[in-house]
């Protein structure tokens, strides 16, 4: 079973129900329904697949609290791409360690943060969202084993360097 199978009861079964309310960058409140999250993440999954991301690839994400984080998470889960969230409070030393250890193919972040990720292709979150909106919202059909990694999360490193904890679809 894939982690997205657990989300299906909400994303599809409650498509018209409010999933999340959030504040946009302009300060206005916005609402997304479960069906909206499903469509947005499908579009993004199609875009990421078209850019060559495959099951087992690692995608780092370095974002403040933004609704796009949910889109990226769901798209990665649907594709079998391993999400590597990076704490936005981390600086060069911690980021360099995670990049060297996790070896992500790409990082999704804001354009202003690209310089923090030397040697890794940066995907601007705003451009990615805009480009994804041009793709189909159809389901992404990837069969992923439940024991496959879903996320690679790094510890705080309080007693030394942070360590990557691999969490599978079944772990969740």
């Amino acid at each position: 079973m894939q982690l997205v199978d657990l989300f299906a009861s909400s994303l599809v079964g409650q498509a018209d129900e409010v999933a999340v309310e959030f504040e946009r960058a302009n300060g206005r409140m916005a609402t997304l329904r479960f069906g909206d999250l499903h469509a947005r993440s499908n579009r993004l999954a199609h875009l990421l697949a078209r850019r060559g991301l495959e099951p087992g690839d690692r995608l780092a994400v370095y974002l403040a609290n933004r609704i796009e984080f949910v889109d990226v998470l769901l798209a990665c889960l649907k594709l079998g791409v391993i999400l590597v969230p990076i704490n936005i409070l981390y600086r060069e030393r911690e980021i360099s360690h995670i990049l060297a250890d996790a070896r992500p193919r790409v990082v999704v972040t804001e354009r202003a943060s690209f310089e923090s990720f030397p040697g890794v292709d940066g995907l601007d979150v705003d451009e990615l969202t805009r480009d994804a909106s041009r793709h189909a919202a159809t389901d992404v059909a990837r069969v992923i084993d439940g024991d496959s990694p879903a996320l690679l999360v790094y510890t705080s490193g309080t007693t030394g360097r942070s360590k990557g904890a691999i969490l599978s679809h079944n772990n969740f």
Side-chain angles (χ1 to χ4, degrees):
M1 174 180 275
Q2 293 174 227
L3 186 53
V4 289
D5 295 333
L6 296 176
F7 292 128
S9 64
S10 295
L11 294 173
V12 176
Q14 297 177 320
D16 294 327
E17 300 295 322
V18 172
V20 64
E21 293 178 342
F22 61 100
E23 187 175 336
R24 293 194 182 275
N26 63 11
R28 292 189 175 189
M29 294 302 293
T31 300
L32 287 177
R33 302 190 183 290
F34 285 106
D36 299 328
L37 290 177
H38 187 48
R40 288 165 57 107
S41 61
N42 281 341
R43 287 183 177 104
L44 182 56
H46 283 293
L47 176 60
L48 293 174
R50 183 171 244 179
R51 290 183 177 222
L53 286 163
E54 298 182 9
D57 285 343
R58 295 171 182 183
L59 180 148
V61 63
Y62 182 77
L63 293 173
N65 291 336
R66 292 180 60 148
I67 192 63
E68 291 84 2
F69 182 88
V70 176
D71 297 332
V72 173
L73 169 63
L74 291 172
C76 286
L77 294 175
K78 291 175 180 186
L79 290 174
V81 170
I82 303 165
L83 183 74
V84 183
I86 300 176
N87 187 326
I88 62 163
L89 298 178
Y90 286 173
R91 295 298 171 245
E92 184 180 346
R93 184 181 60 124
E94 295 93 351
I95 292 171
S96 294
H97 167 66
I98 291 171
L99 294 179
D101 189 60
R103 296 182 321 272
R105 281 198 51 199
V106 297
V107 61
V108 174
T109 189
E110 295 176 349
R111 184 165 296 284
S113 298
F114 280 6
E115 65 188 33
S116 298
F117 299 92
V120 180
D121 288 336
L123 298 176
D124 177 69
V125 66
D126 295 317
E127 289 177 19
L128 199 63
T129 300
R130 186 189 65 243
D131 293 348
S133 70
R134 299 180 189 127
H135 287 268
T138 56
D139 287 341
V140 177
R142 295 263 172 100
V143 177
I144 301 161
D145 182 82
D147 291 326
S148 296
L151 272 80
L152 176 54
V153 181
Y154 281 79
T155 65
S156 62
T158 55
T159 60
R161 292 189 134 186
S162 62
K163 291 160 187 67
I166 298 173
L167 302 172
S168 71
H169 289 259
N170 286 341
N171 287 137
F172 283 97

